[in-house]
């Protein structure tokens, strides 16, 4: 995919690609949420990072295909050392906390502040209270989180990567909020080229003395 | 008479007013408010389209973390003015500065250089003689020689012919791969590349610590490195440390102690040469005398994400024999821009410098790794700094050499698996509540099994695991050495940690040799 913005492959339905970043304290279930959303899987003992550059998942919404490029923190949140590149050009973010752990909710608020400071100006932020299947150990009240989300205009849902509750829903809710027409979607993003794709087109480009 | 003078004055004022409408006057506050839009590299570099860095990024698939922009024009100074350098076939034919005869000459030379190895007879006698003599023999006019020496081969008139031919071929081969350009620029700056390498390292378990510096080395009684202490006072255990020469206390007496790179960074209000398009410009200012050094200038604007709209970041770089960057670069600044001290002159087409910075650093880029690490404890590897080369060729070479010393026989940055290709084992929890075993267990040898205790409280961090200590100054770009270091990191690893397990399970799909000890 040479183009992260909107374009029409083969003139068919429009396709938009968005960068989405996940944030939250270690072990709140960021990777599990992604794995549930992308692969429909859940691992009780999920390794602390997903060993991939980023995962992609496509969502179809009102005849539009949206492709999420999902960036997991790969453990870097522990040292608070997320490089600027992680936030760059991200159009959406899911800030995750664990409903059974009050500290993670406090951390989630810090991440929201961080996003307001570092993220793209019109970033869509969703707050996910994960591990909703463990409600018997609940330490963060639904109402508290909802009030906070309202105050900050965040999307909010309690989710469970384990039971799949609200996982697709929260990504869909984000998809609905994302600007989709070419203009607004790309305003912050200046397009550069991607190397691999161009490389394959090499022959066509020619037109110079090396050919 | 008096009347005429007044009319003229009025006319002049009107012109100035009209110009003022067209040309924005920046206030310090306006500029400062947009500070986050500036990305200023300390050691900016370009990638040759068919160069070592592009090949490495593509091969390792690290390229997907970054986006690139073509360097859209190559300029030089000819007769005190900035002119386009014709380098591709189409440029040569459309160039206004070269005559028909020169066009033919230049095309012949380009064809020759692309295959010079097969035509040894044509340059044998000039192999070690100055390049300018060889060009003279081929009857190139002085304009053409100027283009070829300074902007295409990017050497000096005295460079031995064979070396110059090699450099020119390297440039020519880079044309056409990504359009009509020989160079690519990393969107947001060269500082993105170390981040890309760090990110790749992180997804395979590497740890990078931003805003942390290394303060002390821990050395045992046999003078072998055992670890380091970081700026937070943490003790990090490791077998290998890779660092820039500026961290060392050793002074390489007598060896290149007089080599410096002079740098200037300017923020300007317009481009050095008007154009219809937003350009990424690479300009070479040839030295006034052949024995002196050229100044390489890179101008990037908001389309390359270097600065807010309406401003440009201009980097000037030059080899030097003294650490006095201002003396070295002031003539070039004055050639390109309005006077630094004076107020904005509306009648002058040149850009106004809104902010400037001059600095220099020691250049040890041409020292061998052995010389660089002389006197250091065992396990310490020292890099030579970014130097003042245009591209990353040297950085890639050095990174590879150090990697081979630390991980002999391992493949250097093999392709990372595509995220879609990673197969997760037995989705243990797909039937919710059914499983109680770790998803990766089947892949692990006994000693690599994830600890039971990890499931609830997430990741347990031992000091030993923190083997990576890389300082990255936020948006400011670190030197390319940061990129080097990441490629070579991960030499020490606590076997019981998750990271190792993860690498193990992925290596089924794609061996990640370099990630392990």
């Amino acid at each position: 995919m040479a183009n992260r913005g909107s374009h029409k492959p083969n003139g068919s339905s429009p396709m938009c690609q968005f960068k989405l970043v996940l944030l939250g304290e270690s072990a709140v279930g960021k990777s599990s949420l992604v794995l549930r959303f992308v692969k429909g899987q859940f691992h009780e003992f999920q390794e602390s990072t997903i060993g991939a550059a980023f995962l992609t998942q496509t969502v179809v919404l009102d005849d539009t295909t949206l492709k999420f490029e999902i960036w997991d923190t790969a453990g870097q949140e522990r040292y608070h050392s997320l490089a600027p590149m992680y936030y760059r050009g991200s159009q959406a973010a899911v800030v995750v906390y664990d409903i059974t752990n009050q500290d993670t909710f406090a951390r989630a608020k810090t991440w929201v502040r961080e996003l307001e400071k570092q993220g793209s100006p019109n970033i869509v932020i969703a707050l996910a209270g994960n591990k909703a299947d463990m409600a018997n150990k609940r330490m963060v009240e639904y109402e508290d989180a909802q009030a906070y989300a309202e105050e900050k205009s965040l999307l909010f849902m309690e989710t469970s990567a384990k039971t799949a509750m609200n996982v697709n829903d929260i990504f869909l809710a984000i998809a609905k909020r994302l600007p989709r027409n070419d203009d607004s979607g790309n305003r912050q993003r200046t397009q550069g080229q991607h190397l691999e794709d161009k490389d394959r087109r090499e022959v066509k480009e020619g037109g110079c003395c090396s050919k | 008479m008096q009347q005429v003078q007044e009319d003229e004055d009025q006319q002049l004022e009107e012109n100035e007013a009209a110009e003022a409408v067209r040309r924005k006057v920046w206030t310090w506050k306006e500029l400062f408010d947009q500070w986050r839009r500036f990305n200023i590299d300390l050691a900016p570099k370009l990638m040759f389209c068919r160069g070592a860095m592009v090949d490495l990024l593509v091969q390792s698939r690290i390229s997907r973390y970054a986006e690139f922009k073509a360097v859209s024009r190559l300029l030089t100074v000819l007769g005190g003015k900035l002119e386009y350098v014709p380098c591709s076939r189409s440029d040569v034919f459309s160039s206004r500065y070269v005559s028909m005869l020169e066009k033919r000459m230049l095309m012949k030379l380009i064809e020759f250089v692309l295959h010079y190895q097969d035509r040894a007879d044509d340059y044998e006698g000039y192999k070690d003689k100055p390049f300018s003599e060889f060009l003279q023999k081929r009857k190139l006019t002085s304009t053409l020689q100027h283009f070829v020496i300074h902007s295409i081969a990017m050497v000096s008139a005295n460079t031995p012919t064979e070396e110059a031919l090699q450099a020119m071929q390297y440039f020519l081969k880079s044309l056409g791969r990504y359009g009509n350009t020989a160079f690519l620029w990393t969107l947001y700056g060269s500082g993105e590349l170390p981040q890309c390498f760090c990110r790749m390292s992180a997804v395979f378990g590497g740890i990078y610590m931003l805003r942390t510096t290394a303060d002390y080395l821990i050395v045992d009684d046999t003078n072998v490195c055992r670890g380091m202490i970081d700026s937070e006072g943490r003790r990090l255990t490791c077998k290998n440390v890779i660092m820039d020469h500026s961290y060392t206390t050793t002074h390489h007496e007598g060896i290149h102690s007089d080599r410096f790179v002079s740098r200037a960074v300017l923020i300007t209000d317009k481009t050095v040469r008007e154009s219809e398009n937003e350009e990424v410009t690479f300009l070479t200012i040839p030295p006034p005398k052949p024995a002196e050094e050229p100044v390489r200038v890179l101008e990037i604007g908001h389309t390359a994400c270097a600065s807010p709209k309406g401003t440009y970041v201009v980097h000037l770089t030059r080899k030097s024999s003294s650490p006095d960057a201002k003396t070295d670069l002031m003539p070039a600044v004055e050639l390109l821009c309005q006077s630094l001290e004076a107020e904005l002159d509306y009648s002058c087409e040149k850009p106004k410098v809104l902010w400037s910075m001059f600095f220099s650093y020691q250049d040890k880029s041409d020292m061998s790794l052995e010389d660089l690490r002389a006197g250091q404890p065992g396990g310490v590897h020292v890099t030579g700094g970014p130097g003042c080369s245009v591209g990353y060729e040297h950085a890639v070479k050095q990174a590879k050499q150090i990697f081979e010393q630390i991980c002999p026989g391992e493949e250097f940055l093999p392709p990372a698996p595509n995220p879609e290709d990673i197969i997760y084992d037995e989705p243990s929890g797909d039937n919710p509540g059914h499983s109680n075993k770790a998803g990766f267990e089947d892949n692990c040898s006994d000693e690599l099994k994830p600890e039971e205790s990890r499931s609830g409280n997430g990741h347990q961090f031992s000091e030993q695991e923190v083997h990576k200590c890389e300082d990255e100054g936020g948006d400011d770009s670190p030197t390319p050495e940061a990129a080097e270091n990441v490629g070579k990191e991960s030499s020490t690893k606590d076997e019981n940690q998750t990271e190792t397990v993860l690498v193990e399970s992925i290596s089924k799909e794609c061996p990640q040799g370099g990630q392990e000890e």
Side-chain angles (χ1 to χ4, degrees):
Chain A
M1 195 67 41
N3 205 332
R4 283 222 186 114
S6 314
H7 62 113
K8 296 185 176 187
N10 313 321
S12 61
S13 71
M15 161 97 135
C16 309
Q17 187 155 341
F18 296 102
K19 177 173 171 182
L20 181 150
V21 294
L22 272 125
L23 287 166
E25 185 72 284
S26 301
V28 294
K30 296 185 294 295
S31 301
S32 295
L33 280 176
V34 181
L35 202 58
R36 172 58 82 185
F37 175 55
V38 173
K39 305 225 174 209
Q41 295 177 359
F42 178 73
H43 299 255
E44 189 80 32
F45 301 101
Q46 174 62 47
E47 297 306 330
S48 62
T49 57
I50 287 186
F54 39 77
L55 289 164
T56 54
Q57 177 67 306
T58 309
V59 171
V60 180
L61 192 74
D62 313 331
D63 297 332
T64 314
T65 312
L66 289 100
K67 192 171 180 185
F68 281 116
E69 191 179 87
I70 305 168
W71 289 51
D72 204 349
T73 49
Q76 293 305 315
E77 76 281 358
R78 282 168 302 198
Y79 284 91
H80 217 136
S81 50
L82 284 164
M85 161 206 179
Y86 180 79
Y87 300 101
R88 277 206 216 297
S90 56
Q91 289 116 317
V94 180
V95 178
V96 188
Y97 69 92
D98 172 356
I99 66 154
T100 70
N101 183 335
Q102 185 70 45
D103 289 348
T104 65
F105 183 56
R107 280 297 291 144
K109 290 180 179 173
T110 327
W111 284 118
V112 170
R113 271 200 297 279
E114 181 94 0
L115 276 171
E116 287 169 345
K117 217 168 68 194
Q118 304 255 17
S120 317
N122 299 323
I123 190 166
V124 176
I125 307 175
L127 182 68
N130 197 33
K131 305 196 185 174
D133 53 286
M134 291 159 79
N136 55 334
K137 291 183 189 164
R138 175 186 290 280
M139 297 299 285
V140 181
E141 291 308 321
Y142 183 92
E143 290 72 24
D144 292 350
Q146 196 179 33
Y148 172 73
E150 256 168 42
E151 176 203 327
K152 291 276 182 183
S153 319
L154 316 174
L155 287 163
F156 169 63
M157 281 183 204
E158 285 198 345
T159 57
S160 166
K162 188 167 176 174
T163 67
M165 175 187 130
N166 278 345
V167 175
N168 288 348
D169 308 69
I170 199 163
F171 285 97
L172 265 173
I174 292 167
K176 282 184 187 150
R177 268 213 198 173
L178 286 167
R180 251 162 300 148
N181 53 48
D182 288 49
D183 229 32
S184 49
N186 286 334
R187 196 161 283 156
Q188 289 88 41
R189 282 192 67 73
T190 311
Q191 302 282 314
Q193 37 181 324
H194 278 241
L195 292 188
E196 292 113 314
D197 301 320
K198 281 277 173 180
D199 210 26
R200 265 180 253 129
R201 266 185 255 143
E202 217 174 305
V203 186
K204 276 188 250 163
E205 304 232 351
C208 79
C209 49
S210 70
K211 297 285 159 192
Chain B
M1 197 62 196
Q2 185 69 26
Q3 186 58 44
V4 173
Q5 184 62 47
E6 269 173 21
D7 281 354
E8 272 179 10
D9 282 351
Q10 199 183 345
Q11 185 68 39
L12 217 65
E13 268 168 34
E14 276 169 15
N15 284 350
E16 276 187 15
E19 184 69 26
V21 171
R22 208 159 60 81
R23 190 155 178 179
K24 181 175 168 47
V25 183
W26 286 84
T27 63
W28 174 244
K29 187 180 181 307
E30 280 175 307
L31 211 57
F32 190 79
D33 284 348
Q34 305 221 47
W35 68 272
R36 276 196 53 205
R37 295 193 183 274
F38 286 103
N39 287 295
I40 298 175
D41 280 293
L42 294 179
K45 302 238 176 251
L46 299 175
M47 304 196 302
F48 281 90
C49 293
R50 213 172 286 279
M53 185 56 95
V54 168
D55 287 348
L56 189 64
L57 291 173
V58 170
Q59 159 220 309
S60 61
R61 297 184 183 157
I62 289 171
S63 58
R64 61 187 156 194
Y65 289 123
E67 290 173 86
F68 304 89
K69 261 220 144 37
V71 171
S72 50
R73 59 178 180 177
L74 219 56
L75 300 179
T76 186
V77 180
L78 209 60
K81 285 168 81 182
L82 302 187
E83 302 291 2
Y84 282 81
V85 177
C87 44
S88 71
R89 187 177 278 145
S90 55
D91 289 350
V92 172
F93 284 115
S94 61
S95 176
R96 293 187 289 120
Y97 321 108
V98 288
S99 67
M100 262 331 271
L101 193 70
E102 287 177 316
K103 281 177 189 179
R104 216 168 301 146
M105 265 189 243
L106 188 53
M107 281 317 298
K108 266 179 85 178
L109 179 72
I110 287 172
E111 293 297 336
F112 163 76
V113 173
L114 280 167
H115 308 102
Y116 80 92
Q117 288 95 334
D118 307 333
R119 302 186 195 166
D121 294 351
D122 291 1
Y123 72 97
E124 198 64 49
Y126 289 87
K127 226 171 167 173
D128 303 314
K129 288 188 185 157
F131 191 38
S132 57
E133 280 182 32
F134 174 74
L135 297 178
Q136 205 84 51
K137 179 216 131 189
R138 290 189 69 103
K139 302 203 172 57
L140 260 74
T141 60
S142 61
T143 311
L144 287 185
Q145 287 195 33
H146 179 102
F147 287 147
V148 167
I149 293 172
H150 302 300
S151 294
I152 299 180
M154 293 185 292
V155 294
S156 75
N158 301 327
T159 307
T161 297
E162 194 170 31
E163 190 187 322
L165 288 175
Q166 195 187 346
M168 186 168 168
Q169 191 186 54
Y170 199 75
F171 175 95
L172 293 173
K173 282 191 164 175
S174 278
L175 287 167
R177 187 178 194 183
Y178 298 108
N180 187 18
T181 181
F183 303 110
L184 292 178
W185 169 250
T186 333
L187 221 62
Y188 299 100
S190 299
E192 290 301 281
L193 287 179
Q195 293 183 60
C196 297
F197 284 93
C198 284
R199 172 79 190 169
M200 178 53 81
S201 161
V203 296
F204 290 103
I207 307 291
Y208 54 95
M209 295 162 72
L210 302 178
R211 293 170 281 277
T212 309
T213 49
D215 281 359
Y216 301 98
L217 273 183
I218 303 165
V219 178
D220 69 10
D221 46 17
T222 60
N223 199 31
V224 169
C225 171
R226 292 279 173 232
M228 58 164 56
I229 294 180
D230 75 8
S231 49
E232 312 276 298
R234 283 175 293 215
R235 188 192 167 102
L236 316 172
T237 306
C238 61
K239 287 181 192 160
N240 291 287
V241 171
I242 303 156
M243 59 190 187
D244 180 74
H245 68 83
S246 57
Y247 282 92
T248 65
T249 47
T250 322
H251 296 289
H252 300 95
E253 291 295 338
I255 320 174
H256 309 313
S257 55
D258 59 343
R259 283 174 191 256
F260 294 88
V261 175
S262 289
R263 290 269 296 112
V265 182
L266 316 173
I267 294 175
T268 61
D269 68 340
K270 62 186 285 199
T271 172
V272 288
R273 192 183 195 275
E274 290 293 359
S275 166
E276 282 170 19
N277 309 312
E278 279 284 345
E279 311 267 8
V280 176
T281 308
F282 184 47
L283 157 71
T284 298
I285 304 175
K289 292 179 210 140
E292 291 171 15
E293 297 296 336
V295 178
R296 311 262 178 224
V297 183
L298 184 65
E299 185 192 73
I300 36 186
H302 87 281
T303 52
C305 304
S307 62
K309 205 167 180 171
T311 63
Y312 294 82
V313 174
V314 185
H315 291 284
L316 292 90
T317 310
R318 195 205 116 142
K319 251 189 216 172
S320 182
S321 53
S322 78
D324 185 0
K326 208 160 183 173
T327 307
D328 283 341
L329 296 170
M330 217 44 197
V333 173
E334 277 165 359
L335 173 79
L336 301 174
C337 306
Q338 296 186 18
S339 164
L340 282 189
E341 271 75 38
E343 290 288 305
L344 171 63
D345 175 2
Y346 289 105
S347 62
C348 179
E349 279 295 303
K350 286 179 176 181
K352 172 78 191 145
V353 178
L354 306 173
W355 178 88
S356 65
M357 161 170 86
F358 293 85
F359 64 97
S360 55
Y361 54 84
Q362 254 198 321
D363 179 12
K364 296 192 176 180
S365 60
D366 53 355
M367 284 175 69
S368 72
L369 286 178
E370 284 63 39
D371 285 344
L372 281 165
R373 69 168 308 283
Q376 296 298 324
V380 174
H381 308 263
V382 181
T383 61
C388 68
S389 59
V390 172
Y392 294 99
E393 282 44 48
H394 179 68
V396 171
K397 193 175 138 210
Q398 209 168 54
K400 208 169 168 180
Q401 280 176 346
I402 295 179
F403 176 81
E404 277 158 9
Q405 286 175 9
I406 297 175
C407 309
E410 298 283 0
E411 192 184 344
F412 183 61
L413 287 169
N418 275 319
E420 278 76 16
D421 298 341
I422 295 173
I423 298 157
Y424 291 88
D425 301 307
E426 284 303 292
S428 53
D430 230 10
N431 296 322
H434 127 269
S435 170
N436 56 3
K437 73 172 191 175
F440 286 88
E441 203 167 59
D442 292 346
N443 264 346
C444 307
S445 57
D446 276 341
E447 75 270 27
L448 295 178
K449 268 182 193 167
E451 303 276 328
E452 197 75 54
S453 61
R454 278 197 34 254
S455 59
N457 54 8
H459 206 77
Q460 289 173 342
F461 237 106
S462 70
E463 280 185 346
Q464 281 77 10
E465 195 184 358
V466 190
H467 53 78
K468 177 84 184 92
C469 183
E470 189 63 61
D471 179 35
E472 269 189 57
D475 261 356
D476 285 349
S477 303
T479 64
E481 268 58 44
E484 291 181 18
N485 293 352
V486 179
K488 296 165 308 207
E489 263 309 326
S490 73
S491 49
T492 54
K493 195 158 291 218
D494 186 335
E495 302 296 314
N496 285 322
Q497 295 299 326
T498 334
E499 277 74 10
T500 317
V501 180
L502 193 63
V503 170
E504 283 291 305
S505 73
I506 284 158
S507 64
K508 276 195 156 180
E509 324 302 327
C510 174
Q512 275 295 316
Q515 302 298 325
E516 286 164 88
E517 211 172 343

